Amino acid sequence: MKIDLSKYDNSWYNPGTGFTKRTLWFIVNAIFIQCPLNPFSSLKVFLLRLFGAKIGKNVCIKPSVNIKYPWRLSVGSNVWIGESVWIDNLADVVIEDNVCISQGAMLLCGNHDYKKETFDLIVGKITIKKGVWVGACSIVCPNVVLNEGSILTVGSVANKNLESFAIYRGIPAIKIRNRIVK
């Protein structure tokens, strides 16, 4: 078997809104959300809500964050999203309360079926439960749930669900110990 990307077709995929809204978001995202010169979280939160994101109170969004589709994003209260976080939410991303997503982390809702010559697009939801810490430069893959209080350490890849109050490290991430919160 060989890969033939000329046969690639993701026309079935619908991000959930029309071309005009997607185009406007692309411009707003580039100017106000991704821009490293805009340190104002309140403006980013306002614009994300304007485009359909559900966002709680006391949410901090640092500079250079990239969000694919705000209408597929739900963020709880007391959440910190660090510099250069990439939320590639081709499917829904749910971030619950008291979550820290450290700088450079990637939440990737899309992948490709490498077993098919057409390299078909695969999408899946990501859920990050209360009290989770996603370490810097970590990756969360499609169809993964980071359960309450779990930690994904720096540079790790979560390609399966993480247990509650457990610490995971590596590529792929494996449980290294329980998390004890005092």
Side-chain angles (χ1 to χ4, degrees):
M1 178 165 80
K2 64 178 185 157
I3 301 300
D4 185 356
L5 293 180
S6 70
K7 295 179 182 178
Y8 178 77
D9 177 19
N10 72 340
S11 60
W12 62 268
Y13 176 73
N14 180 352
T17 190
F19 175 78
T20 303
K21 187 174 182 179
R22 285 195 315 268
T23 303
L24 282 172
W25 173 249
F26 178 79
I27 294 165
V28 168
N29 190 33
I31 295 171
F32 296 104
I33 311 297
Q34 291 180 337
C35 179
L37 302 176
N38 176 15
F40 304 108
S41 249
S42 58
L43 176 60
K44 295 172 194 175
V45 166
F46 170 78
L47 291 168
L48 286 163
R49 285 179 178 149
L50 187 67
F51 278 86
K54 296 173 185 76
I55 301 182
K57 297 176 184 176
N58 195 29
V59 172
C60 178
I61 303 172
K62 294 299 215 171
S64 302
V65 169
N66 187 6
I67 298 169
K68 181 81 127 205
Y69 298 130
W71 47 90
R72 301 200 80 144
L73 180 64
S74 176
V75 178
S77 296
N78 308 310
V79 171
W80 186 83
I81 300 174
E83 291 88 352
S84 301
V85 166
W86 173 212
I87 301 176
D88 189 20
N89 56 336
L90 297 170
D92 292 344
V93 169
V94 175
I95 302 168
E96 294 185 356
D97 298 341
N98 302 303
V99 168
C100 176
I101 302 174
S102 295
Q103 59 274 20
M106 294 190 287
L107 309 181
L108 306 177
C109 290
N111 203 343
H112 293 275
D113 188 345
Y114 64 88
K115 294 178 182 176
K116 292 190 175 181
E117 82 171 307
T118 52
F119 207 53
D120 294 351
L121 178 65
I122 301 169
V123 297
K125 179 179 180 175
I126 291 173
T127 302
I128 301 176
K129 301 278 188 167
K130 294 176 183 175
V132 168
W133 178 13
V134 177
C137 299
S138 291
I139 298 171
V140 180
C141 296
N143 294 310
V144 169
V145 176
L146 306 185
N147 281 293
E148 185 174 354
S150 61
I151 295 175
L152 182 64
T153 63
V154 172
S156 296
V157 177
N159 63 357
K160 63 180 181 170
N161 295 348
L162 305 189
E163 294 174 22
S164 294
F165 294 97
I167 301 172
Y168 286 78
R169 176 177 61 205
I171 303 172
I174 58 170
K175 182 178 175 181
I176 58 170
R177 67 178 166 270
N178 290 324
R179 177 183 184 188
I180 299 167
V181 180
K182 297 178 183 180

